[in-house]
Amino acid sequence: MFHSRLHSLSRFLISLVLTAGLVTLAGSAMAQDKRQNAPGEFDFYVLSLSWSPSFCEEAAERGGRSQIQCGGRPYAFVVHGLWPQYENGFPEYCQRPAPRLNRNIVSSMLDLMPAPGLIFNEWDKHGTCSGLSDRNYFETIRKARAVIKIPAEYLDLSQAKTVAPADVEEAFIKANPGLSSSAVSVTCNRTRLSEVRICLNKDLQFRSCEELDRRACRRDQVTMPPIRGG
C-alpha cells in the first residue's frame, strides 16, 4: 500500500513538473512571438565590419573556393551586414521566400560588400526584417557605413599586427566622436580578429547595446593579418 501511494505521488509530481515546464515554454514562446520576425518591428541596427584579411586566411585554410574579395583589389574592413536587432535577440528571414533582389543593386554594393553571395544572403536573412525595400535597405547600409570612420592605423596594414581587442575598440572610439564602449564590440575567430560591430539606432546614431558586448572576443590578444596587395 505504501509503495503504491509513493508511486502515485511520484507520477503526480512528475506530471506537475512537466506541466509547469510546458507552461513556461509556452509563455516564453508567446513573449518572443509578439514581434518575432515581423518586418520593420525591431529596436536598433548592428553594423558589422569584417576584417577581410582574416576572412580570406580562414577561407584558404578551409580550402574553399576563392572569393572575389580575396584576390585582386586589397580590402581592409568591409561591410558584413546591417542587422535589425531586438533589445534581446534578433529577427531573421522575415519573408519566405524573400522578394527577389535586383542584380543592379548587387553590382552597386560590391565596393562595400565585395561578395555577391554575401549580399544576397544579407538581404534574405536581415534585409527582409528591416521593413525597407531592397533599394532602401542597401542605401541604408551605405549611409550607415558612411557614419563610421575607420582608424588610420587599419587603412593600410602592410604587416601582420598583434592587437588587444580593447585597443581596437578604443581606436574606433577615438576616431568616431560620440561612439562609446557600450556601443561597439570586437569579435574574434580562434586567434584572429574577425569583426568590429557597432550599434546604431534607426536614425543611424550611435547607441548602447549591452547584449552585443556579451558576445565579444574574450582573448587578451588577436592577430590582424595584413591587407593583401593587388
Side-chain angles (χ1 to χ4, degrees):
M1 177 73 75
F2 173 75
H3 289 294
S4 176
R5 286 181 178 176
L6 186 63
H7 182 65
S8 297
L9 180 61
S10 297
R11 289 180 63 185
F12 172 73
L13 289 173
I14 291 170
S15 175
L16 196 64
V17 168
L18 288 174
T19 301
L22 288 171
V23 168
T24 300
L25 286 173
S28 298
M30 285 174 64
Q32 184 187 47
D33 287 347
K34 261 186 181 176
R35 294 187 303 165
Q36 188 68 29
N37 299 339
E41 296 292 326
F42 63 96
D43 297 312
F44 64 97
Y45 287 115
V46 169
L47 176 66
S48 182
L49 302 174
S50 170
W51 182 245
S52 183
S54 291
F55 169 82
C56 291
E57 286 201 0
E58 288 158 15
E61 288 170 359
R62 290 194 301 269
R65 233 172 18 166
S66 178
Q67 304 283 334
I68 290 176
Q69 75 185 76
C70 299
R73 176 181 165 185
Y75 290 98
F77 278 107
V78 299
V79 174
H80 180 176
L82 183 69
W83 306 333
Q85 302 282 299
Y86 304 131
E87 295 296 346
N88 293 292
F90 54 88
E92 60 181 2
Y93 299 109
C94 293
Q95 294 185 64
R96 289 179 180 271
R100 188 184 180 99
L101 183 57
N102 188 307
R103 287 189 173 272
N104 290 333
I105 294 175
V106 177
S107 299
S108 74
M109 293 301 297
L110 290 174
D111 59 322
L112 297 184
M113 306 171 72
L118 169 65
I119 296 170
F120 280 108
N121 182 70
E122 290 301 298
W123 168 244
D124 290 353
K125 186 174 183 179
H126 301 288
T128 57
C129 297
S130 68
L132 302 172
S133 69
D134 54 1
R135 189 166 301 280
N136 287 340
Y137 173 66
F138 285 100
E139 284 177 357
T140 302
I141 289 181
R142 189 168 293 279
K143 289 175 183 175
R145 174 61 185 84
V147 167
I148 309 302
K149 183 177 181 182
I150 304 298
E153 58 263 43
Y154 306 135
L155 292 175
D156 189 21
L157 195 65
S158 59
Q159 294 183 328
K161 185 179 180 74
T162 299
V163 296
D167 291 342
V168 177
E169 277 193 26
E170 188 59 34
F172 270 82
I173 290 168
K174 286 181 178 178
N176 294 275
L179 180 63
S180 68
S181 59
S182 64
V184 58
S185 67
V186 172
T187 68
C188 56
N189 186 349
R190 291 183 293 174
T191 60
R192 299 185 184 100
L193 182 141
S194 295
E195 298 185 346
V196 173
R197 295 175 177 175
I198 297 170
C199 298
L200 304 164
N201 63 27
K202 291 184 179 182
D203 294 325
L204 305 182
Q205 304 294 313
F206 301 130
R207 61 100 78 192
S208 63
C209 49
E210 301 298 337
E211 184 185 6
L212 201 73
D213 195 52
R214 292 197 288 271
R215 300 197 294 270
C217 181
R218 300 301 175 200
R219 295 183 181 275
D220 292 330
Q221 292 187 319
V222 290
T223 300
M224 295 180 73
I227 297 169
R228 298 176 177 220

